């Protein structure tokens, strides 16, 4: 449930930051921490696989794509009516 909560928090913080600007700092901290952790884990994967450093730039994008798509799909599945 981490990915859906992450998506919800991003949406909530973006909406709240439109009305209350200090929330934008919290949004920036959340995204910054996410990117930092993505680079750290990307670095670990790169070292384990013996890959090229260019992989370090691609992996955070891959992680974010996976988390945002899975979290969004999960949340949409909760609100959509079954066929």
């Amino acid at each position: 449930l981490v990915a859906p909560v992450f998506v919800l928090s991003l949406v909530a913080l973006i909406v709240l930051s439109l009305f209350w600007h200090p929330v934008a700092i919290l949004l920036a901290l959340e995204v910054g921490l996410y990117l930092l952790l993505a680079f750290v884990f990307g670095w670990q994967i790169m070292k384990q696989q013996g890959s090229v450093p260019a992989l370090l730039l691609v992996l955070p994008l891959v992680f974010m794509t996976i988390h945002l798509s899975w979290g969004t799909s999960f949340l949409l599945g909760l609100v959509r009516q079954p066929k």
Side-chain angles (χ1 to χ4, degrees), residues 42-56 59:
W43 180 266
Q44 288 179 349
I45 291 170
M46 184 188 74
K47 287 296 184 183
Q48 288 175 354
Q49 301 294 325
S51 301
V52 295
L55 186 63
L56 185 61
L59 281 176

Side-chain angles (χ1 to χ4, degrees), residues 13-63:
L13 289 174
I14 289 170
V15 170
L16 287 173
S17 69
L18 295 174
F19 300 106
W20 193 39
H21 296 296
V23 175
I25 296 169
L26 187 58
L27 176 62
L29 286 172
E30 180 179 19
V31 172
L33 180 62
Y34 182 87
L35 290 174
L36 175 69
L37 289 173
F39 278 112
V40 167
F41 288 113
W43 180 266
Q44 288 179 349
I45 291 170
M46 184 188 74
K47 287 296 184 183
Q48 288 175 354
Q49 301 294 325
S51 301
V52 295
L55 186 63
L56 185 61
L57 299 174
V58 175
L59 281 176
L61 180 62
V62 170
F63 293 151

Side-chain angles (χ1 to χ4, degrees), residues 77 79-83:
V79 297
R80 285 189 182 163
Q81 293 182 356
K83 293 182 179 182

